[in-house]
Structure formats: C-alpha cells, structure tokens
Amino acid sequence: MRWMALEVMKTPRSAQTPKKLDDAARAAWLAYVAGKTQDEIARLLGVSRQSAQRLVSQAMQAGLVKVRIDHPISTCLDLSARLQDRFGLALCEVVPALSSEAEAGQAVAHRLADLIEDRLSAEAPVTLGIGTGRTLRAAVEHLPRIDCPQHRIVSLTGNVAPDGSTSYYNVLFTLGEKVTAQTFPLPVPVIASTQSERDALLGQSTLAPALRLAHGAQFRIMGIGTMDSAAPILRDGFVDDATLTRVRGKGAVGEIFGFPFDGEGALIDDEVTGRVCSVALTTESAVERIAAAHGRSKVPALRAAIAGRLISGLITDENTAASLLGP
Amino acid sequence: MRWMALEVMKTPRSAQTPKKLDDAARAAWLAYVAGKTQDEIARLLGVSRQSAQRLVSQAMQAGLVKVRIDHPISTCLDLSARLQDRFGLALCEVVPALSSEAEAGQAVAHRLADLIEDRLSAEAPVTLGIGTGRTLRAAVEHLPRIDCPQHRIVSLTGNVAPDGSTSYYNVLFTLGEKVTAQTFPLPVPVIASTQSERDALLGQSTLAPALRLAHGAQFRIMGIGTMDSAAPILRDGFVDDATLTRVRGKGAVGEIFGFPFDGEGALIDDEVTGRVCSVALTTESAVERIAAAHGRSKVPALRAAIAGRLISGLITDENTAASLLGP
DNA sequence: TCTGCTCTCGGGCATTTACTCACTTTCCGC
DNA sequence: GCGGAAAGTGAGTAAATGCCCGAGAGCAGA
C-alpha cells in the first residue's frame, strides 16, 4: 500500500469535492456546449467572472471536457489506411503532424488515452496488460477518471528499476486508481542479472496470479524501445553498453518488454533474451497488441515489430507514418 | 426534385471544397486537441492568423467540432434518474438550465441531435420516423454531415401545410441530405378536412411504401403539441378555434402527430381524431419513441404523454424536468 | 477585353479569456 | 484559541480571439 500513500501525497487536494467538480462541469457545459461567455456563466452561477474562469479551467484540467473533430483529415486517414493495408495492421490511427516531436508525442498519447478509455468503457470485464514507456505514461495523464471496477490491469513487464526504485509502478497504479480497477504489478526488474535469477524471480508463487492474468490479457499496450545509444533499456540501466552493442551486432533493431528483435521482428538469440522477466510476446491475432510510438528514431524498430506481427495496432503521427511507408 | 433544387439554391457555396474542410479540420484539431493558439496554427499551416481563425470557425460552423462534458452534472443526472424511475421512461436526458426558454430549446435540440447521430451511427439499417416541431428542426440544424446511406427516414405525419406549401418537407429533406439517407415524405396535410378525405389521401397507392415504412420505424422522434392558444395545430391552421375549444372541452391537454389526448394520454374521442393523416401512435416498447420538449407550457402535455406511455424517452431541460416531478 | 460580381485576404479594433499578484478565508495541528 | 499553510477571491493586465471593413484576386457574362 506504500504506493497508494505516495499517490495520495502527490495529489493532496486534487481530489476536489464533488460539488466543486459539479459546478466546474456546469460551467464547462455552459461555456462549450451552450457557448456562453464567462461573464454570462458567472451571472448564471452567481459567482464572479474570475471564479467562472477558474471553474472552466478546472474542468479542463480535470479532463472533463472532451473534444473530438468529426472529420477525418484526409492525409491522416490516407496514411492510416495505407499502413493498415500494406502491413496488415488491425488498427492504425494517425494524428496530424505538429512542429516538434514532443508535441507529436502528446498528441499520440492523447489518442492512446482515448483508445484506452474506449476499451475500458466496455461493460464486460477486460484484462488490460501494459508495458512501459513515455507515451503510455503521458496517455495515463490524459485519461479522465472513469469508474470501471470490473476491469483488471496487469503489468506485462517488471516494475522495478535497477536501483530498486519503484517509479515504474506509478503508471500502473495511477491508471488503476483513475479507472478504479484492480492492479497487478510484477515486482521484478525488467531484465534480471542471470537467467537463473530470472527463473527464480518469476517462479515466486505470489507472482503466479499476476502472470496468469498477464498471459490472458486480451488487450495489450506496449512500448517500442530503440536499440540506439538512447535505448531505454540502456538508459534505465537494465543492460550495459557491451550487451547492447553485442545484441545490436546480432541485428537487434528494437525491443518490446525488454525482448530484443531483429529487422524481421524475430527474437534475437542471445543470453540477454533469457534474462528478460516479461511476459512472452505473442503474435496471436486474438490479443489486441497496440503500440503507440512516434519519432524518426523509432522507425526501424516499428518496421520490424510490424513485420514480425509483434503488434496488431499502431498509433502514431503523420511524419512517422510517412516514414514507415517511405523507402 | 423541386425541394432539392431549393436546397441547393439555399446553400450556394456552403458545400465547401473538401480540401478546405480538410484544412478546417486540421486547424480545429490543432486548436482544440493540441491546444495551439491561432497564431501557431497560422504558422504551422502557412496562412495568416485571420485565415486560421476563419478555418477554425468554419470547422465549428460545419459542426466538425464535438464537445462533450464527461461529468454528469449531479442535479441533471438526479432529475433524469427520478424521471426514469417515477414514470418508467426507458431513456431520459436532462440538460442544465439556462436563463431563457429559447436557449434551453437550443440545448435540448443539441442533445437530440447527439442522440440522432448516435442512433444513425449504427451499421445496421435503421428506419427513423420523424414528426414535426421546432425542436426537431433545430436538432437537424445541429446535426453534422454523416454518411449512412443504409438508413431510411420516413415522415410520420403529413408534410403539407394547409396553404399547400411544403415547408414541412424541409426538416425531412435536410435531415436526409445531411446523413445521405433515403427519405420518404407523406405528402398529405396533417389533418384532412373530412374523414373520407383522410381515407382517400392515405389510400393512395403511392403512399403505401412510406406508410409501411412508417409503421415499421423502430426509432421515432416526436414533437409534443400543446392545446392552449399557442397550439401548433391551431397556428398552422389545421384546426379552427371551435374545434380546439371542443376537444379541449373533452379533456385534451396535448397532441402528438395531430392526435389529441387527455390527461391520461388516452386519445380523445372526437371527429377530428378521425381526420388525422398520421401514423397511429403506439405504446409498444420495442419502438423507441423519443420526445424532445421543454418549457412550462408543455408540462401538462408531457405528463399526459408519459402517463399514457405515448413516449418511451424524453429529452428536456432542468426546469421542465423539475416541473414534471413537481406537484 | 472589360465589367461587375463574389470570394478571400489581411489590418485594425472591441471583446473575451488567461494569468499574475496581493489579499482573505478556511482548515489544520498544536 | 492560535499560528501557519493552503485554497479561494478579486483586481489588474497581457494575450488571444472574434469580427468588421476595405482591398485585391478570380471568374462569368457581355
């Protein structure tokens, strides 16, 4: 329960009183649906103009206001259709291009949040498996609070950083808390130091339920890691430079959950592969495997993951989509 | 085809070139989803700030931008739950109160448009039956252009005004054109001058397909008419003052499709009832019968329609909902 | 080719919104 | 009850937005 306490500490007052949020929602409704100015809203609600402004901005902050553009921007639609067609993706979403990669990341994260929300809005219980990554982290930030206790969220990779910190937990628990779903962490490192350590770690009986759930997750959200000098598994200290260079020498162009794969999306035959403490990758089409990734550096890894059917769905931006289709 | 020509004449250039709408959608996306200022949008799109502003506003105008507030305003939710519970309504939506009845009307119409859009977004072909009324007319204005040629839209009441004008057609055809669905008008008056005229009119073999469709419509949108001095059937000239006074004397508190009913929602036994050229009212729960209405004057008619199960769903505003629940 | 017409563009300005800052209130723990 | 911190409040101001207008481009018909 330590992490819960942490969560609570991190957001001491953000759990607004319902009455306030109610007013915020009403103000936002008046502003966006009824098209009132903040002055009019203030008068209607009997507060000052500034307070009305505050209410509207709180509603935005709280993610109460959802905007969707009801028109497929043709180039995006076209790119997405071509990606689906060329690579046999079951799902492909392309968001419009933006000036910077960081912004594109936000946009992709936003779209991913929408997708998660959609999948979790199902009545029937869903087991959602999640990996790691910035995009997923950002997506969870954008997710509104929804109530769906019927679902379960399970980590598909280890949640412990090499320094023993549990920062990786946050995404899982924040997500779980936001949607009031049960969460199942995997309190092991992403990559163990030896294969026998890996076997011992995953053999712990307390992990059995989480692992069982993870294997059965119908909906997986996965991050795509590069294998260049900015490789997340290197940066996070799960592998050292020598190991990275070695697997790259064997053709590794990317990794998912820590598993390195080559340009065809086939797992690299290396000792490090045997040390990965994650749930095995699957190519079963019954499992929805969504990757959200963007940026030029991700292109080779994405190409490979798609080629190897390691992912069944992709959310990306216009530029990355164009690169994927390009030569 | 006369009305089509009329339609085209009425909107000479509003059928924007797709490219323009595409830019508009992109601008709107940047503005609302990415949260860019119009200055930034202008720079990204390589146009002037004013043009960017124009694009965004065009996107709004075209109904491309959909905003939804993802938080049930508790009083509205509460009212709707109580209405559903007390009166056994299958569906009940309550929009927040506004200062004027006209604005409330807009809000209700907006919500009705959302509902129509939702129902028409189904893959399976739907037969949508529509009545008349300001609210429906306003809702159609708010409806975005969507492509669902699998659906059919049929008029449940006559479409000809007593002066022979066909203004009533507009709602049907505008709706049909917006969603690219087939439309089936009922080119007869709402109320014939004699019962035998009614029988002759409805007996026309050319009307048989439309009438058949109308009877089978799974989803009906109906207006609720009052029987006071502002009664639409009086204003539109379908009945004279004497007739109105007479049926009111027999207990009529409202009408749907021209059929007058009493406080219990039972049809009034009067010769005028036999002259109504509309599709019979039904209380079958398999048929979704949505009324969108608001305003103090509508309350008695609404109460009666609900009591008689003439409608299965209601969209209204906070004030009207409170009145319905009140003493 | 010219003329008249509409459409679009960009400048300027009024309105509206977002944000900062100083102040008040409220809610804690002591 | 008291001190302190955090949240809320209202004024003022900078930024952003919406809108009107005149100018110029594109186009149909004479």
Side-chain angles (χ1 to χ4, degrees), chain A residues 72-96:
Chain A
I73 299 176
S74 55
T75 49
C76 293
L77 194 72
D78 179 53
L79 285 167
S80 119
R82 277 161 64 197
L83 281 168
Q84 284 190 47
D85 186 50
R86 168 107 69 105
F87 299 121
L89 288 168
L91 177 145
C92 183
E93 304 268 0
V94 178
V95 303

Side-chain angles (χ1 to χ4, degrees), chain A residues 22 25-26 29-30 32 36 44 64 66-71 73-75 96 98-99 103 107 117 318, chain B residues 22 25-26 28-30 32 36 44 64 66-71 73-75 96 98-99 103 107 117 318:
Chain A
D22 215 78
R26 187 176 286 260
W29 189 90
L30 290 165
Y32 292 100
K36 301 259 161 212
L44 281 165
L64 263 49
K66 283 281 165 50
V67 183
R68 85 168 197 276
I69 307 298
D70 229 345
H71 182 89
I73 299 176
S74 55
T75 49
L98 282 158
S99 40
E103 290 177 318
E117 188 186 349
E318 222 172 332
Chain B
D22 213 77
R26 186 176 286 261
W29 188 90
L30 290 164
Y32 292 100
K36 301 261 162 212
L44 282 165
L64 263 47
K66 282 281 164 51
V67 182
R68 84 168 196 273
I69 306 298
D70 228 344
H71 182 90
I73 299 176
S74 55
T75 49
L98 283 157
S99 41
E103 289 176 318
E117 189 185 351
E318 222 173 332

Side-chain angles (χ1 to χ4, degrees), chain A residues 112 129-140 154-161 166-172 186 188-190 220-225 232-233 236 238 255-259 278 290-293 298:
Chain A
L112 177 59
I130 64 170
T132 53
R134 285 164 197 290
T135 308
L136 178 57
R137 181 175 287 266
V140 171
V154 59
S155 188
L156 300 174
T157 75
N159 292 114
V160 181
T166 54
S167 62
Y168 285 145
Y169 276 120
N170 279 348
V171 177
L172 184 67
L186 228 47
V188 296
V190 177
R220 294 181 170 196
I221 298 166
M222 22 226 303
I224 303 266
I233 51 169
D236 290 345
F238 290 113
E255 56 78 22
I256 290 178
F257 300 166
F259 292 110
S278 305
I290 305 294
K298 294 274 179 86

Side-chain angles (χ1 to χ4, degrees), chain A:
Chain A
M1 279 297 149
R2 203 171 47 223
W3 49 82
M4 290 303 279
L6 261 166
E7 245 332 283
V8 171
M9 281 177 62
K10 273 181 59 184
T11 56
R13 305 276 168 152
S14 87
Q16 314 266 4
T17 147
K19 167 82 179 123
K20 259 268 132 34
L21 260 192
D22 215 78
D23 283 348
R26 187 176 286 260
W29 189 90
L30 290 165
Y32 292 100
V33 182
K36 301 259 161 212
T37 82
Q38 297 182 349
D39 251 315
E40 296 172 300
I41 297 169
R43 221 169 310 126
L44 281 165
L45 263 53
V47 297
S48 71
R49 193 184 64 74
Q50 291 88 335
S51 301
Q53 197 275 332
R54 243 165 242 132
L55 285 173
V56 174
S57 104
Q58 273 165 26
M60 300 233 56
Q61 194 101 37
L64 263 49
V65 182
K66 283 281 165 50
V67 183
R68 85 168 197 276
I69 307 298
D70 229 345
H71 182 89
I73 299 176
S74 55
T75 49
C76 293
L77 194 72
D78 179 53
L79 285 167
S80 119
R82 277 161 64 197
L83 281 168
Q84 284 190 47
D85 186 50
R86 168 107 69 105
F87 299 121
L89 288 168
L91 177 145
C92 183
E93 304 268 0
V94 178
V95 303
L98 282 158
S99 40
S100 76
E101 287 219 343
E103 290 177 318
Q106 286 297 306
V108 169
H110 220 108
R111 196 62 203 78
L112 177 59
D114 285 350
L115 184 72
I116 295 175
E117 188 186 349
D118 176 70
R119 293 298 189 269
L120 291 185
S121 68
E123 281 292 326
V126 167
T127 304
L128 163 63
I130 64 170
T132 53
R134 285 164 197 290
T135 308
L136 178 57
R137 181 175 287 266
V140 171
E141 306 256 322
H142 285 132
L143 210 63
R145 292 182 181 274
I146 46 181
D147 194 56
C148 39
Q150 71 274 31
H151 303 318
R152 288 177 297 195
I153 305 170
V154 59
S155 188
L156 300 174
T157 75
N159 292 114
V160 181
D163 61 4
S165 77
T166 54
S167 62
Y168 285 145
Y169 276 120
N170 279 348
V171 177
L172 184 67
F173 290 125
T174 311
L175 178 54
E177 199 214 334
K178 277 207 165 175
V179 303
T180 61
Q182 262 188 292
T183 51
F184 298 84
L186 228 47
V188 296
V190 177
I191 299 180
S193 10
T194 66
Q195 186 159 351
S196 60
E197 186 187 87
R198 181 207 102 110
D199 295 340
L201 284 168
L202 291 187
Q204 296 174 79
S205 60
T206 51
L207 292 191
L211 286 172
R212 213 169 18 245
L213 268 181
H215 278 108
Q218 311 100 302
F219 178 42
R220 294 181 170 196
I221 298 166
M222 22 226 303
I224 303 266
T226 59
M227 296 300 263
D228 54 18
S229 53
I233 51 169
L234 178 69
R235 298 216 144 193
D236 290 345
F238 290 113
V239 301
D240 54 23
D241 243 325
T243 311
L244 186 70
T245 309
R246 189 181 67 240
V247 289
R248 204 160 48 194
K250 291 183 181 177
V253 297
E255 56 78 22
I256 290 178
F257 300 166
F259 292 110
F261 51 80
D262 66 17
E264 306 300 314
L267 282 195
I268 299 288
D269 182 21
D270 188 273
E271 63 88 23
V272 76
T273 306
R275 294 196 275 120
V276 176
C277 299
S278 305
V279 169
L281 300 180
T282 177
T283 57
E284 266 179 72
S285 60
V287 179
E288 186 166 25
R289 292 148 285 136
I290 305 294
H294 71 103
R296 188 149 271 287
S297 64
K298 294 274 179 86
V299 170
L302 274 174
R303 273 223 183 89
I306 296 170
R309 310 236 164 232
L310 300 178
I311 65 175
S312 70
L314 173 65
I315 299 176
T316 192
D317 76 325
E318 222 172 332
N319 294 330
T320 312
S323 298
L324 283 170
L325 286 164

